[in-house]
Amino acid sequence: MDIEKIMIGLEKKHPGETEYLQAVHEVLESIEDVVNENPHFEAAGIVERIIEPDRVFTFKIPWIDDNGKVHVNIGYRVQFNNAIGPYKGGLRFHPSVNLSILKFLGFEQIFKNSLTTLPMGGGKGGSDFDPKGKSDTEIMRFCQSFMLELWHAIGPDTDVPAGDIGVGGKEIGYLYGTYKKLAREHTGVLTGKGINWGGSLIRPEATGFGTVYFAKEMLKTKGESLEGKLVAISGFGNVAWGAAQKATELGAKVVTISGPDGYIYDPDGISGDKIDFMLELRASNEDIVKPYSYEFPEAKFYQGKRPWEVKCDVALPCATQNELNKEDAASLVKNGVSFVAEGANMPCTPEAVEIFQENKILFGPGKAVNAGGVATSGLEMSQNSMKLNWPREEVDRRLHQIMIDIHDTCVKHGTDEDGYINYVKGANVAGFLKVANAMLDEGII
Ligand code: NDP
Ligand code: 2IT
C-alpha cells in the first residue's frame, strides 16, 4: 500500500479537509502492515472504499429566533460505512462544524463502533448552529427544522444518530419528537433518549465512565491502580463530568477541568458537590468555568490556559479535537505523566501522540477509550428492539466488560516487540480487520 499516493489523491479530491485527512493518515499508517500481508484487501479496493463516505447529506436549516428574526444554518449527515451494521454516530451542534470535522468523526466512528463488538456502522452529523445563549424554544425550533430534512435519511435499521458536543438529552428530545411526528412511529431511531421514552440508564455518563474503565486497564498493565493518582481532565461537558465522577469513585484525585475561557486547578480534588456545580455551569449555556473559583476559593482559575501544565499521573483530554499539542505533550512528560487516555475524539495532535509514544508513555486513542458512549448507545438499541429496560447495574456491567474487551483487543493487536503497547495501532488494526472482512464478504458495492 502506498500511503503517500493515497493521501495525495485524497487531498486532491477533498482539498483543505484537514481533520479528515489527519484521521485517515493515522489509520493508514497503523494498518499498512496488515494490508500488505493480505493482498485480497488490495484486490478488493478495501482501503480506497473505506476512506470515502458512502454518502453525505447537506441541507439548509432555516429557523426563527424569539424576536422573529430568520436564521439559516447548514446541516449535515455523513453516512460513512454500514458493512457491520446500520450507520451509527452522534450529531454535533457547534459553530466550528464543517464537512471536514464531520468526516473525520464519521471515519473514526467506523473503527470505534467495530471495536465495541456490537453491530454498528459509522456515521456522524451536525450543524454549525451555536446552542450557546439560545432559549429552549429557539433550540426546539432549530431541532424541528433540522429533523424535517434529516428524517428521510435515518431509521432504526438504517442510521441511528445520537448526541455529541452541543447535543444532549434536551436536543435529542426535540429531534425525537419531530421524527415521531413525521414517521408516525415510536422506534429506536435515536439514542440518548430520555429514560421514560426509550432511553437507557447509564447512557449520559457512559462515555466518561468507559474512559475511566479503559484507563484503569491501562494502569493495570503496569501493576498500578487509580487509587491516589492525580488526574488532569480538560472540558466540563458530558464526557468530562462522567470521567471525573468515576475517577474519583475509584480513588483518584481529579485536579483540573477546563472550558474555552481557561482551566480550574483544584488541589482538593473535583468531586461530590463540586461535580454537581460543574453540571450547573454546563447547564447555564454560557460555557465558562471561571465561576467555579468563586464558589470554591481553594481552586484557582488560569485564564486562557490549558490544564496540561499541571503535575499529574493521568491525563484525560475530554473537550475537543486537537486541543493538546506537542508543547502540551512535552510539558506533561516533563511533569511525570504516565498515562494519557483520550475521552474526546482526536484531542491530541499527531506530534503530541508521537511525543508520548517516544517516551513510552501509555497512550489510549479516542476510538478505543471513549467507545463506551456509543457502546451504551448500542445497548440502548438492543433494549429498544427487545422492548424492555435493563437495570442500571446490568448496563454498567455490560459497559465495563466491553471496555475491558476493547482494551484486551488493543493489547493483542498493538503490542510491539519490546513489549510496549501501541494502543493506536491495536485499535486501528482490530477495528479495521472486522470491517474489511465484512466488506470482502459483501462484495464490491
Ligand atoms: P459537551 O457539549 O457536553 O461538552 C463539550 C464542551 O467543551 C463544550 O461546551 C465546549 O465549549 C467545550 N470546549 C470546546 N473546546 C474546548 C476547549 N478547547 N477547552 C475546553 N473546553 C472546550 O460535549 P461532550 O462532552 O459530549 O463531547 C466532548 C468530546 O467527547 C468531543 O470530542 C466529542 O466528540 C467526544 N465524545 C462524546 C461522546 C458522547 O457520548 N457525548 C462519545 C464519545 C466522544 P464551546 O462550545 O464554548 O466550545
Ligand atoms: O463520538 C461518539 O462516539 C459519540 N458522540 C457517541 C455516538 C453515539 O452514537 O452514541
Side-chain angles (χ1 to χ4, degrees):
M1 176 173 63
D2 188 341
I3 298 181
E4 191 137 328
K5 195 168 152 216
I6 295 173
M7 289 311 300
I8 289 170
L10 202 63
E11 199 163 356
K12 225 177 187 171
K13 272 193 262 181
H14 309 290
E17 295 189 0
T18 50
E19 294 86 358
Y20 164 55
L21 295 166
Q22 178 184 335
V24 171
H25 189 253
E26 182 213 277
V27 170
L28 294 189
E29 278 195 320
S30 298
I31 62 170
E32 187 174 12
D33 290 346
V34 284
V35 171
N36 289 338
E37 287 157 13
N38 291 280
H40 49 293
F41 287 154
E42 194 136 16
I46 297 290
V47 170
E48 287 76 5
R49 291 197 285 135
I50 209 169
I51 61 178
E52 282 288 348
D54 287 349
R55 66 193 69 79
V56 177
F57 297 97
T58 310
F59 45 93
K60 175 178 75 182
I61 313 163
W63 59 279
I64 303 172
D65 71 19
D66 290 344
N67 299 316
K69 190 172 173 336
V70 176
H71 299 262
V72 178
N73 286 96
I74 305 181
Y76 307 89
R77 185 71 185 167
V78 180
Q79 295 184 334
F80 225 112
N81 186 296
N82 65 352
I84 62 167
Y87 303 107
K88 179 81 193 90
L91 296 171
R92 178 177 289 193
F93 293 169
H94 193 270
S96 65
V97 160
N98 58 34
L99 193 54
S100 169
I101 289 177
L102 296 181
K103 278 169 69 180
F104 117 63
L105 290 163
F107 182 70
E108 292 277 288
Q109 202 81 44
I110 305 170
F111 307 98
K112 184 194 302 191
N113 293 2
S114 165
L115 287 169
T116 65
T117 68
L118 302 173
M120 300 182 289
K124 197 83 185 190
S127 172
D128 60 354
F129 174 73
D130 187 358
K132 211 180 286 181
K134 302 291 189 296
S135 70
D136 274 5
T137 49
E138 287 173 331
I139 290 178
M140 181 176 74
R141 283 194 292 273
F142 173 81
C143 289
Q144 290 172 339
S145 187
F146 185 90
M147 192 49 93
L148 209 51
E149 275 291 337
L150 189 66
W151 81 280
H152 285 289
I154 61 175
D157 294 317
T158 308
D159 183 354
V160 184
D164 192 77
I165 291 182
V167 178
K170 180 165 65 184
E171 291 76 16
I172 293 293
Y174 297 144
L175 292 163
Y176 191 74
T178 315
Y179 179 87
K180 188 170 62 72
K181 178 118 187 164
L182 293 164
R184 301 193 183 186
E185 56 178 39
H186 202 295
T187 55
V189 66
L190 296 170
T191 58
K193 299 186 290 298
I195 205 66
N196 294 322
W197 41 279
S200 174
L201 289 164
I202 302 277
R203 177 62 189 91
E205 51 275 66
T207 313
F209 278 20
T211 294
V212 173
Y213 290 150
F214 193 94
K216 187 176 139 206
E217 295 305 305
M218 291 170 74
L219 268 83
K220 230 194 236 172
T221 66
K222 297 271 181 204
E224 294 188 41
S225 81
L226 278 161
E227 189 67 48
K229 293 284 185 302
L230 289 180
V231 178
I233 292 183
S234 63
F236 68 117
N238 180 46
V239 181
W241 80 259
Q245 189 173 317
K246 187 51 77 177
T248 306
E249 221 176 280
L250 297 181
K253 190 197 266 187
V254 175
V255 288
T256 67
I257 53 167
S258 74
D261 53 333
Y263 79 90
I264 291 287
Y265 178 75
D266 187 339
D268 293 351
I270 299 166
S271 63
D273 57 337
K274 293 177 169 178
I275 293 180
D276 295 340
F277 185 75
M278 185 173 155
L279 285 170
E280 276 171 40
L281 279 183
R282 180 171 175 253
S284 75
N285 246 3
E286 289 193 16
D287 264 330
I288 49 171
V289 289
K290 192 174 182 180
Y292 183 105
S293 60
Y294 308 145
E295 188 76 11
F296 306 106
E298 64 276 24
K300 212 171 160 207
F301 174 68
Y302 292 86
Q303 177 92 35
K305 297 229 169 170
R306 294 196 283 247
W308 315 125
E309 56 191 22
V310 307
K311 189 172 162 34
C312 62
D313 306 298
V314 180
L316 304 176
C318 294
T320 195
Q321 67 274 355
N322 292 329
E323 54 153 316
L324 193 161
N325 63 25
K326 64 175 187 222
E327 285 79 26
D328 298 321
S331 141
L332 280 168
V333 172
K334 198 175 114 222
N335 282 322
V337 79
S338 301
F339 305 90
V340 181
E342 294 186 323
N345 285 309
M346 209 169 77
C348 300
T349 64
E351 297 79 21
V353 176
E354 215 174 296
I355 290 177
F356 294 136
Q357 292 179 334
E358 272 168 15
N359 286 277
K360 301 289 176 205
I361 282 154
L362 288 188
F363 170 78
K367 62 170 74 72
V369 174
N370 70 38
V374 73
T376 308
S377 279
L379 299 178
E380 182 173 331
M381 289 164 74
S382 304
Q383 293 170 79
N384 292 164
S385 297
M386 294 191 286
K387 306 216 182 296
L388 52 77
N389 300 312
W390 286 326
R392 200 178 163 81
E393 298 71 30
E394 171 75 8
V395 183
D396 194 31
R397 184 187 61 76
R398 286 177 185 265
L399 165 66
H400 198 161
Q401 190 57 51
I402 287 172
M403 297 316 297
I404 292 172
D405 292 345
I406 297 176
H407 179 271
D408 292 352
T409 302
C410 291
V411 172
K412 180 174 163 210
H413 291 273
T415 306
D416 289 343
E417 279 155 20
D418 63 359
Y420 174 71
I421 305 167
N422 183 337
Y423 287 91
V424 175
K425 183 173 169 213
N428 286 333
V429 168
F432 170 76
L433 279 174
K434 183 174 170 190
V435 178
N437 284 320
M439 289 170 74
L440 273 184
D441 292 345
E442 293 168 10
I444 298 169
I445 186 86

